[in-house]
Amino acid sequence: MKKKFRIKKNEEFQLVFHKGESFANRQFVIYILDKQEQDFFRIGLSVSKKIGNAVIRNQVKRYIRQAFLELNESIPVGKDYVIIARKPAADMTFSEVKSSLMHVLRRAGALKNGQRKKKNITS
């Protein structure tokens, strides 16, 4: 991915964590922050050492980047995404990573062809 599509600075990660919304499933947590002035989306990746050794962590990051490249047309612009991989992501194939990311993005309403699920709040 080109540099302008990546989140690399700690301040940018912290801004997304504090001001963005989070959505999760068993494999990934995604924080999403609206940035209307951007003509593109950016992603930041966080893969902890708990996931595995450097080879495994880098493989997970490659899978996530490739999934976002393939979903490029379905992801709306003007947003920052921070993806945190959880332990089960280490044992997944690329197609499983892609479908899991699509699931979380659909839950977040961040796919152009998917609708955001409504939360039912009962008192």
Side-chain angles (χ1 to χ4, degrees), residues 29-103:
V29 179
I30 296 184
Y31 286 84
I32 301 173
L33 178 66
D34 281 331
K35 289 223 162 164
Q36 297 300 328
E37 67 277 1
Q38 274 180 185
D39 295 335
F40 47 88
F41 67 84
R42 299 188 310 163
I43 65 169
L45 303 176
S46 175
V47 182
S48 168
K49 287 185 179 180
K50 293 177 186 177
I51 301 294
N53 62 21
V55 174
I56 302 295
R57 293 193 312 267
N58 288 331
Q59 181 183 46
V60 170
K61 288 188 276 190
R62 281 194 306 272
Y63 286 170
I64 295 169
R65 280 191 212 104
Q66 185 61 37
F68 266 83
L69 281 173
E70 290 184 11
L71 295 171
N72 190 15
E73 299 298 318
S74 302
I75 298 173
V77 297
K79 294 182 186 289
D80 281 353
Y81 300 90
V82 173
I83 299 98
I84 302 171
R86 290 182 168 170
K87 186 87 170 139
D91 301 323
M92 297 171 73
T93 64
F94 170 69
S95 60
E96 292 170 333
V97 167
K98 184 178 176 184
S99 66
S100 180
L101 283 171
M102 286 176 61
H103 173 256

